[in-house]
Amino acid sequence: MKASSLLGPPGFTRQPAPCTKRVSNNRSAVCRPQHGRAATGSGAAVFSHSSSRAKYSLVTRAAASGADADLGGDLELLKTESSPGPRLQPSERVLKLWRKANAVCFDVDCTVTVNDSLDLLAEFMGCGDLVAEVTNKAMDGSMNLEQALEERLRLINCTPGDIKRFIRAHPPGSRLVPGIEGLIKALQARDIAVYLISGGFRELTLPIAKHLGVPKENVFANRMNWQWDDETGEPSRLVGFDSSEPTAHNRGKPTAIARIRQRNPYNTIIMVGDGITDLEAVQVTGGADLFIGFGGVVERPPVAAEADWYVYKYSQLIEALKRYTVAMIGSGAWACAAMHIVAQNCLAYDEADEFVDEVRMWVYEEEFQGSKLTDLINSKHENPKYLPGISLGENTVADPDLESTVRGADILIFCAPHQFIRSMCKQLIGKVKPEAFAISLIKGMRVRSDGPQLISQLVAKYLALDCSVLMGANIAGDIGREQLSEAVIGYANPEHAKVLKKLFETRYFNITLLPDVAGAEMCGTLKNIVALAAGMVDGLGLGPNSKATIMRQGLSEMRGFSKALYPTVRDETFFESCGVADLIATCLGGRNRLVATEYTRASLSGRPVSFEQLEAELLKGQKLQGVLTSNEVQEILKQRGWEAEYPLFTTVNRIVSGYFPPTDIVNFKEVPSRPIPSEDGDLSDEELAARRPRPLATAEATA
């Protein structure tokens, strides 16, 4: 392998270093050709560096015959422990650390900028050669870092006015390395903190930080000391620098990172730079967790050899940032409304670019208007059966195969009828990525012999995934038409919650993060029972007073029942979108209210129909969750002897089970104390069976 292939990617031309820095033990890592020969084709160059990590050497020999004579015959192959060269591809460990970074610290000179700020200032002041001599003394060991900084400032001898003129002559935007702005914007858009840590001076670094949108408190650099004029009260003469800054001393960058850790609860900090002082950031306890070497301006072979990852373009780091693949499980009206949002956000341009464009959606295959529903969705980019007229986005791909839909997905969105989720999860065991996470948009629960199980708990149990929930006042058609709406995301993992908020939030769909998964999910589940009661009030033709009474009682029972099952549920959760707002929306316009209204009207007309019949007629294939949820909740109330404590829930269930007529909804305080007709013998079994509508299938029977 030729030396040039070790020093850069194919086609990379190594340029003379436009900036010089202290490397290690005050010695330079700049290429020094032997016998004055250039380090090209038949030339030779030797780079040698040793540290606690590895020993590095690179020797090139002339390829052409007779080259030894040209070199004086003294070229020999050095035998040392050697590194194979820069790590141009990140290992799995390195990539994982980069993708989970909480903060990224950048060196400035020759990493963020294409030159050394102090050297450029020296040239501007007309003393570039003199300052370069001092720099060389620092590099050959005849002068230490602090002495060199002091002497360079003495030679430059600038005033504050000179610095202002220098910045005007060399504006920050003109000095930036290509790609650095895009990388920093991408990191900040992902809520990753960005810091600048420079061995240069704050006065020269702050304009760069401002241009990049890096807060000044995130800048670590040396400070110039000024003599103040007694007459004007203004700084007039440079008199050295403040030696109290960490970057004024050896190992200043790991010291700065240690201070960052003291101030912030960061788990993972990355250092990016071109020099040995940057590499030191990972060689000291309390420093960075990962060092990425940058060779896009100047390549320093010792740094390239020891960097955890070595890059020449910042586009490499941008492309390596985590991008999430999203899968939707479900294709009903609410799933399609959610897909309208998700597909938009995955396809939209933003600095973070966190989501893969294509979103797969599992669709229960069925015929509609003579064609397969998946074919219709993939050709029309809408679901003509369950949410006609609402675009799902051209990046949505309908798939009738559940396992194919979730293959490779990082985020799983569950939005199917809750009675089917258990069987789906059992099918997906071992088929999802271990590091994936989920969110449930499902409103319902599963009742077991040992107690209730929320859908989020079911997903977590079977698939071993963290599962958040999205709950709120979410009428599918309104959201599909992009009317102002909101929801909460109940979460346990705050990092996952931040990503999910970006996935769902839009200008018309507001998201609030709520650290109460059980509370949010219980609200979304129980409000469907209250909506049935509200529908009965509408079916009876009663006014707003009656409906308000039902809704207030319902909210009270929702809160009491939730806290009885899950004591950690927060009271304030019931005042969020998942609580009172969702209750209002569902009682005014949801499918449970609609079906209960028609059920009541049919009962009053003397031509009763079952909820199952109304579900088929009114919902066109969608599932009615309220009756099923009522049955599940009532089972818990009966098991625990709580029926009298939750009179509205109990009354609704006895009405939908056919024990009492819908007119008894206004007597909800009395109904729980009444004997059930079949138990009292008032009606024969045949009469009761004829009166009672056939109930919907239970969760256990259909899951």
Side-chain angles (χ1 to χ4, degrees):
M1 181 179 289
K2 293 183 180 180
S4 59
S5 65
L6 280 175
L7 295 178
F12 175 78
T13 303
R14 190 169 185 273
Q15 301 296 327
C19 63
T20 53
K21 295 184 181 180
R22 185 175 65 88
V23 179
S24 181
N25 300 323
N26 292 327
R27 297 190 180 277
S28 173
V30 177
C31 172
R32 302 178 189 277
Q34 292 187 358
H35 301 288
R37 292 291 301 266
T40 58
S42 62
V46 178
F47 309 99
S48 180
H49 172 69
S50 63
S51 73
S52 59
R53 284 190 168 193
K55 293 181 180 178
Y56 177 88
S57 70
L58 170 65
V59 178
T60 61
R61 295 201 294 175
S65 60
D68 283 0
D70 291 340
L71 295 174
D74 64 350
L75 181 64
E76 61 180 85
L77 182 65
L78 300 181
K79 295 181 179 180
T80 67
E81 295 180 30
S82 62
S83 166
R87 298 177 181 89
L88 300 180
Q89 295 297 326
S91 66
E92 184 177 344
R93 181 191 73 86
V94 167
L95 195 59
K96 185 175 181 180
L97 285 172
W98 172 242
R99 288 178 171 176
K100 72 174 188 177
N102 304 114
V104 179
C105 303
F106 290 90
D107 172 47
V108 178
D109 296 332
C110 302
T111 298
V112 170
T113 63
V114 295
N115 40 39
D116 182 293
S117 297
L118 199 60
D119 287 349
L120 193 62
L121 176 61
E123 292 180 11
F124 179 78
M125 296 297 294
C127 55
D129 291 340
L130 292 174
V131 170
E133 290 179 14
V134 176
T135 301
N136 290 333
K137 289 181 180 180
M139 289 188 171
D140 66 21
S142 61
M143 183 179 292
N144 68 33
L145 175 64
E146 293 181 47
Q147 289 175 328
L149 281 174
E150 195 82 46
E151 180 62 14
R152 291 166 81 188
L153 288 181
R154 187 190 67 79
L155 291 169
I156 292 172
N157 193 30
C158 61
T159 66
D162 293 328
I163 291 179
K164 290 179 181 179
R165 285 189 290 275
F166 165 76
I167 293 170
R168 285 196 296 269
H170 300 280
S174 68
R175 300 174 52 209
L176 297 179
V177 172
I180 188 63
E181 283 189 90
L183 174 58
I184 288 178
K185 287 180 180 178
L187 293 172
Q188 292 173 330
R190 290 166 175 254
D191 298 321
I192 299 171
V194 174
Y195 291 82
L196 301 183
I197 306 179
S198 174
F201 288 88
R202 193 172 182 86
E203 289 78 358
L204 305 177
T205 303
L206 283 179
I208 294 167
K210 182 178 180 180
H211 181 86
L212 293 171
V214 177
K216 60 184 177 183
E217 58 268 23
N218 287 16
V219 175
F220 287 80
N222 300 311
R223 292 178 184 269
M224 295 178 177
N225 283 338
W226 302 94
Q227 177 176 308
W228 291 70
D229 187 283
D230 290 341
E231 296 295 331
T232 64
E234 298 290 336
S236 59
R237 189 169 70 87
L238 186 61
V239 289
F241 66 95
D242 182 358
S243 61
S244 66
E245 294 293 335
T247 49
H249 308 280
N250 289 337
R251 295 193 171 181
K253 291 180 179 177
T255 301
I257 292 174
R259 291 188 182 181
I260 292 172
R261 288 191 184 277
Q262 290 172 358
R263 300 172 186 172
N264 303 275
Y266 297 145
N267 292 319
T268 305
I269 298 180
I270 312 296
M271 182 72 205
V272 181
D274 69 289
I276 288 293
T277 57
D278 309 315
L279 176 62
E280 286 175 349
V282 294
Q283 297 174 331
V284 176
T285 301
D289 300 288
L290 180 75
F291 173 66
I292 299 175
F294 179 67
V297 175
V298 55
E299 181 170 358
R300 306 181 193 280
V303 177
E306 295 197 41
D308 296 301
W309 182 14
Y310 201 74
V311 300
Y312 296 90
K313 295 181 179 180
Y314 284 125
S315 59
Q316 295 172 258
L317 298 184
I318 294 175
E319 291 166 4
L321 289 170
K322 176 67 177 178
R323 300 182 75 217
Y324 297 93
T325 298
V326 181
M328 169 69 77
I329 300 171
S331 57
W334 177 211
C336 290
M339 274 299 296
H340 179 75
I341 293 171
V342 168
Q344 282 181 342
N345 284 346
C346 287
L347 194 59
Y349 171 79
D350 69 293
E351 299 288 355
D353 193 24
E354 290 186 80
F355 304 105
V356 173
D357 290 352
E358 182 180 281
V359 185
R360 302 193 77 82
M361 180 173 71
W362 176 76
V363 176
Y364 176 74
E365 191 67 281
E366 54 186 311
E367 294 288 325
F368 183 73
Q369 297 179 347
S371 300
K372 291 182 178 180
L373 188 57
T374 52
D375 291 342
L376 290 172
I377 292 173
N378 287 330
S379 61
K380 297 178 178 295
H381 306 296
E382 68 175 73
N383 189 329
K385 181 172 184 179
Y386 296 120
L387 199 63
I390 302 301
S391 172
L392 301 181
E394 295 186 359
N395 53 321
T396 294
V397 177
D399 191 337
D401 187 317
L402 181 60
E403 294 180 20
S404 170
T405 300
V406 305
R407 188 175 298 125
D410 301 292
I411 301 174
L412 275 61
I413 305 171
F414 286 88
C415 193
H418 78 272
Q419 59 265 38
F420 305 127
I421 298 303
R422 179 168 173 260
S423 61
M424 289 179 175
C425 286
K426 290 173 72 174
Q427 181 183 345
L428 293 177
I429 292 175
K431 307 294 174 57
V432 299
K433 294 172 69 173
E435 66 272 22
F437 54 97
I439 183 168
S440 170
L441 281 57
I442 301 166
K443 298 169 180 180
M445 66 169 63
R446 174 173 171 252
V447 177
R448 307 168 300 170
S449 58
D450 58 343
Q453 184 180 52
L454 296 173
I455 301 304
S456 62
Q457 295 172 329
L458 189 153
V459 172
K461 175 184 176 181
Y462 283 95
L463 301 182
L465 302 180
D466 172 63
C467 186
S468 303
V469 297
L470 185 147
M471 301 286 155
N474 306 144
I475 304 299
D478 293 349
I479 293 174
R481 290 184 288 273
E482 301 188 0
Q483 295 179 10
L484 178 64
S485 305
E486 64 176 0
V488 302
I489 290 178
Y491 69 89
N493 185 311
E495 295 304 315
H496 292 166
K498 290 177 183 177
V499 175
L500 292 169
K501 181 175 182 178
K502 293 178 182 178
L503 181 62
F504 283 97
E505 189 164 59
T506 68
R507 59 175 175 76
Y508 59 88
F509 193 62
N510 299 327
I511 294 292
T512 300
L513 297 182
L514 181 71
D516 186 3
V517 177
E521 193 165 2
M522 286 297 289
C523 283
T525 297
L526 298 175
K527 57 91 181 183
N528 284 329
I529 302 175
V530 185
L532 291 174
M536 294 173 193
V537 168
D538 287 344
L540 293 173
L542 301 178
N545 287 353
S546 299
K547 198 166 189 178
T549 300
I550 291 295
M551 293 169 66
R552 187 214 58 78
Q553 179 67 25
L555 183 61
S556 177
E557 293 189 19
M558 287 167 55
R559 175 183 172 277
F561 186 68
S562 299
K563 292 178 75 68
L565 291 182
Y566 302 97
T568 59
V569 167
R570 298 151 48 121
D571 284 330
E572 51 267 38
T573 295
F574 297 89
F575 297 98
E576 294 287 353
S577 177
C578 60
V580 64
D582 194 6
L583 181 64
I584 292 170
T586 306
C587 289
L588 293 179
R591 71 181 73 161
N592 290 281
R593 183 210 65 84
L594 170 65
V595 173
T597 298
E598 295 307 315
Y599 173 82
T600 302
R601 289 172 178 168
S603 177
L604 292 176
S605 72
R607 296 186 297 274
V609 293
S610 71
F611 278 99
E612 193 169 56
Q613 290 173 293
L614 290 169
E615 178 188 72
E617 293 173 9
L618 299 176
L619 302 187
K620 309 300 183 184
Q622 297 183 69
K623 295 300 178 183
L624 182 69
Q625 299 298 306
V627 173
L628 181 54
T629 301
S630 175
N631 290 335
E632 292 165 338
V633 168
Q634 200 63 28
E635 187 174 338
I636 298 170
L637 297 181
K638 190 171 183 178
Q639 288 174 352
R640 304 194 181 193
W642 293 350
E643 290 176 292
E645 295 179 40
Y646 300 94
L648 184 65
F649 287 173
T650 299
T651 299
V652 169
N653 188 254
R654 292 185 180 179
I655 292 173
V656 300
S657 298
Y659 294 121
F660 296 101
T663 52
D664 269 332
I665 194 64
V666 297
N667 302 316
F668 67 85
K669 288 193 174 183
E670 303 170 9
V671 169
S673 62
R674 295 180 187 174
I676 295 177
S678 61
E679 296 176 354
D680 194 45
D682 292 344
L683 297 175
S684 67
D685 290 341
E686 292 77 9
E687 290 173 319
L688 183 64
R691 176 177 176 180
R692 184 187 307 157
R694 187 157 56 95
L696 300 179
T698 64
E700 201 61 47
T702 56

